[in-house]
Amino acid sequence: MSRLSELLRQVALKDERLAADLKRETDALAERRSFGLNFERHVPEAVELPGRPVRKNDKVHALLTREKQARLANLRAIRERDQTDAERDELSRLELELRESNSVLWRVASVDRKAATATLTRSVVEESEALLQATEVPLDDLAVVAEFRDPIYPGLVSTGKVERGGPVKPYHAVINAENYHALQALLFTHRGKVDAIYIDPPYNTGAKDWKYNNDYVEADDLYRHSKWLAMMERRLRLAKELLNPDHSVLIVTIDEKEYLRLGLLLEQLFPDGRAQMISTVINRKGNARRGEFSRSEEFVYFVRFGNAGISPWRSDMLNEAQEGDNEKIRWKSLLRLASTGQTSGRFNMFYPLFFDSRTLSFVFAGEPIPDGVPAASVQVPDGMSVLWPIQRNGSDGRWSLSKPKFEEYLRKGYIKFGSKNGGGRTPYYLMEGQIAAIESGDLVVTGRDSDGAVELKKLASQRSPLTIWNQSSHSTSGHGTALVKDLLVDRAFPYPKSLYAVEDALRFAVLRNRDAVVVDFFAGSGTTTHAVMRLNRQDGGRRRSILVTNNEVAADEQKALRAKGLRPGDVEWERWGICEYITRPRIAAAINGKKPDGTPINGNYKFTDEFPMADGFEENVEFFTLTYEAPLRVSTNREFGKIAPFLWLRAGSRGRRIDDVSTGWDVAEAYGVIADLDQSEQFLKAMDDAPSVTHAFIVTDEDRLFEAMVRQLPAHVEPVRLYEAYLRNFEIEAGRAAR
């Protein structure tokens, strides 16, 4: 090691960056375990950022010109035996240029916006001399590169939303981004706050199913497994910090290509976790392989932290589910009977229920009226009829629930309407014990009726799931591929997970937590958000998901696009990416109950909760693209609009988002932001008047002013200093990535 240290010192005299890279590798070798999982960590991992404007001091790749790119794609399409000698020579030359463009990192010395060019430099060694090579390249032929040891300062730009959950429901978030950078960003918003992570990473089949440093990893790559482990390790280290250490679950699916190495990696990264591996049948017919056993299963790792346990369920996942007994679920009349106590007086429980006069569908509840005010004085809207809580003898009664509680129960499906009664239908509700039974799992929600009331089944007993699962609902072809086709018609996605398989896995992790935060940073077609929405519908939960997926275009589609001279970042290229073409429209279709062309989705959801897919879900979701900002512009409050979504996510992604503080301050339902501390008195009063706020973001560089504001905030409000907390988060993460 002393000889290596001396050589590194000599290298540092000529190239400090190269010396630092070499030292990092030798340090890793020195620390390598004698036993356990050993692999090359392939530092640095890097990613191109298409669409990111080129700035001075950026690292960039100098791309093939569009003309050369198109020519290369066309030459590759010619069968080798049909190529001329000239075409073979040209193909070899262009392939060499492509490899160089993907491997050589240049530094931007200057940018000429008027000429649309940049001057690039790089260090080269010739005859032991360090030289500076320079070249001028059109901006259109440059791609900014981010190495994972470099600090990034992310922003988020909203690209659309779907809102059917109303103001009560929080928002799911879908982020189009490189997942490593997105995980770094989520450490600012959700460090230690995530209840479950579900990921279905690339299985490393060698069939161009994932990229490392912008190149597909193929079956003949000698470093295929170590590249996969290096990629997974970096992301799982960040995921570890997102998980709530007191109560959370990590779920990872995998097949036989990497399940052994993954198990060792999880064991090394999460020594405090309690891991179990599940074998789950996903294809009962088996995937035939000549001369081998037909594969029918894959594997699911559950790693539990803190006091997290696995919730029992009606099925042990191997045998048929136990049916409940035939006891009928009794709903209680909403009309309070005289035998239940005092009936004189209205007590704010005398209010009208309005129904559609033609269909008798419930429409809304009116305001309570006090004693002495006749019911006839309340105006009935056109086309509606009304039902009051009137006793059989014609005297005033009252409902058993206040109007706010009635509306809460209605949203959760705990109000049921029976047969015709006067101007409406008789209302019923579930009692507290029955609601507790739903929460504990003793009563199972099997669906909802046409009014939205839950349909319930009583279980004979709860069962702990076994470590072998064999459920017809977990078929990838029947309830993954076919379901995506139902939603998106002519759009295909390779090997999507069964919706019900993801739903079952998450149920075991978050059944008892109706406000759980679920993250998936290998989001694929968006099955995880779809599954979370189904869980919410079954028990009235407010769980929210955060999905991360890039906008990678499928390998075969890339060939056709490159032949046209298109590149990542071009509008026509990006429209075919997984996020824009599959993930986003799939989630929108699931919520709206409509295909991308606007027609209703055919078919029904099955198994635990059966209802028409065209009904959709009462949920909210917003779609974002991750951007890369300049730290100086962020620190001087010139990019607030792109930082604003992070503040909203940190405060629970509920209610109105504060996108502008040009007036000095603003307070929404969940949080407040103040940029002008001269207006602190008004801001603090507004915070006091908003009991649901949980966070205050204070823009100041001065410790004294920040501390003064913190002392005056309500005790339950978490103070966050901008932009010190934001900038520091990403500088720390970049420093850790470099190690």
Side-chain angles (χ1 to χ4, degrees), residues 633-634 637-645 647 658-662 671 673 675 697 699 722-723:
R633 290 186 60 83
V634 171
N637 205 33
R638 287 182 285 173
E639 296 292 356
F640 180 81
K642 294 177 182 177
I643 307 304
L647 313 186
I658 300 171
D659 288 319
D660 178 50
V661 286
S662 57
Y671 67 106
V673 182
F697 298 94
V699 182
L722 295 179
Y723 288 90

Side-chain angles (χ1 to χ4, degrees), residues 7-19 123-131:
L7 291 172
L8 286 171
R9 188 188 67 79
Q10 293 178 28
V11 172
L13 295 175
K14 295 182 178 180
D15 190 333
E16 292 184 0
R17 181 62 176 273
L18 176 59
S123 295
V124 295
V125 178
E126 292 183 5
E127 298 180 357
S128 301
E129 292 288 331
L131 303 175

Side-chain angles (χ1 to χ4, degrees), residues 556-663:
D556 289 341
E557 187 64 39
Q558 285 192 32
K559 294 177 183 177
L561 295 176
R562 291 190 187 279
K564 297 177 183 178
L566 295 171
R567 292 175 175 154
D570 294 340
V571 173
E572 183 61 19
W573 179 288
E574 296 298 323
R575 69 183 289 259
W576 296 102
I578 179 177
C579 185
E580 292 300 316
Y581 191 64
I582 298 292
T583 317
R584 177 174 174 165
R586 186 253 177 93
I587 294 172
I591 294 176
N592 289 321
K594 297 179 180 178
K595 304 171 191 174
D597 64 6
T599 59
I601 300 170
N602 301 320
N604 298 314
Y605 290 109
K606 300 179 180 180
F607 308 107
T608 301
D609 187 8
E610 300 183 13
F611 63 97
M613 296 172 72
D615 286 358
F617 294 92
E618 294 180 357
E619 298 280 348
N620 302 316
V621 64
E622 187 158 8
F623 304 94
F624 298 96
T625 294
L626 191 84
T627 62
Y628 297 84
E629 306 305 322
L632 180 60
R633 290 186 60 83
V634 171
S635 63
T636 53
N637 205 33
R638 287 182 285 173
E639 296 292 356
F640 180 81
K642 294 177 182 177
I643 307 304
F646 288 124
L647 313 186
W648 177 73
L649 283 168
R650 183 161 175 163
S653 59
R654 59 185 175 89
R656 178 175 63 90
R657 184 168 65 245
I658 300 171
D659 288 319
D660 178 50
V661 286
S662 57
T663 60

Side-chain angles (χ1 to χ4, degrees), residues 367-660:
E367 294 299 321
I369 61 175
D371 292 330
V373 176
S377 67
V378 175
Q379 184 175 358
V380 179
D382 292 341
M384 295 189 192
S385 55
V386 65
L387 178 67
W388 291 93
I390 303 299
Q391 301 280 6
R392 290 181 179 177
N393 61 9
S395 63
D396 288 354
R398 64 177 185 268
W399 302 124
S400 295
L401 302 173
S402 65
K403 184 194 173 191
K405 181 62 72 173
F406 172 85
E407 291 176 333
E408 176 191 340
Y409 275 30
L410 185 71
R411 285 193 303 270
K412 294 180 176 180
Y414 299 161
I415 300 292
K416 184 182 183 71
F417 296 99
S419 58
K420 187 177 186 306
N421 179 8
R425 290 155 60 205
T426 303
Y428 301 89
Y429 72 104
L430 290 176
M431 293 174 282
E432 290 184 1
Q434 292 169 309
I435 294 172
I438 293 174
E439 294 174 348
S440 69
D442 291 333
L443 283 178
V444 176
V445 177
T446 60
R448 297 199 177 211
D449 67 15
S450 58
D451 294 306
V454 294
E455 295 173 338
L456 300 169
K457 178 188 290 185
K458 185 176 181 181
L459 293 184
S461 63
Q462 295 285 282
R463 310 175 74 181
S464 293
L466 300 173
T467 54
I468 297 178
W469 297 357
N470 185 7
Q471 302 290 304
S472 61
S473 59
H474 291 191
S475 165
T476 52
S477 59
H479 306 298
T481 303
L483 189 139
V484 170
K485 187 176 181 180
D486 288 338
L487 294 166
L488 302 180
V489 190
D490 57 348
R491 304 187 188 191
F493 179 78
Y495 310 115
K497 278 281 179 288
S498 162
L499 170 62
Y500 309 108
V502 180
E503 178 185 327
D504 284 342
L506 286 172
R507 181 183 289 110
F508 293 129
V510 299
L511 176 64
R512 301 182 189 280
N513 184 357
R514 296 189 180 188
D515 294 301
V517 177
V518 178
V519 169
D520 180 352
F521 52 89
F522 288 102
S525 68
T527 307
T528 298
T529 289
H530 204 160
V532 171
M533 294 191 298
R534 273 184 53 84
L535 291 176
N536 283 344
R537 188 183 189 277
Q538 291 163 25
D539 61 11
R542 291 162 41 89
R543 303 173 188 87
R544 60 191 186 277
S545 63
I546 301 172
L547 297 197
V548 179
T549 181
N550 61 24
N551 202 37
E552 184 72 24
V553 175
D556 289 341
E557 187 64 39
Q558 285 192 32
K559 294 177 183 177
L561 295 176
R562 291 190 187 279
K564 297 177 183 178
L566 295 171
R567 292 175 175 154
D570 294 340
V571 173
E572 183 61 19
W573 179 288
E574 296 298 323
R575 69 183 289 259
W576 296 102
I578 179 177
C579 185
E580 292 300 316
Y581 191 64
I582 298 292
T583 317
R584 177 174 174 165
R586 186 253 177 93
I587 294 172
I591 294 176
N592 289 321
K594 297 179 180 178
K595 304 171 191 174
D597 64 6
T599 59
I601 300 170
N602 301 320
N604 298 314
Y605 290 109
K606 300 179 180 180
F607 308 107
T608 301
D609 187 8
E610 300 183 13
F611 63 97
M613 296 172 72
D615 286 358
F617 294 92
E618 294 180 357
E619 298 280 348
N620 302 316
V621 64
E622 187 158 8
F623 304 94
F624 298 96
T625 294
L626 191 84
T627 62
Y628 297 84
E629 306 305 322
L632 180 60
R633 290 186 60 83
V634 171
S635 63
T636 53
N637 205 33
R638 287 182 285 173
E639 296 292 356
F640 180 81
K642 294 177 182 177
I643 307 304
F646 288 124
L647 313 186
W648 177 73
L649 283 168
R650 183 161 175 163
S653 59
R654 59 185 175 89
R656 178 175 63 90
R657 184 168 65 245
I658 300 171
D659 288 319
D660 178 50

Side-chain angles (χ1 to χ4, degrees), residues 252-256 259 277-280 297-301:
V252 189
T253 61
I254 200 68
D255 74 358
E256 81 277 15
Y259 82 103
M277 189 185 79
I278 307 302
S279 298
T280 176
E297 91 293 3
E298 63 180 24
F299 310 101
V300 188
Y301 282 98

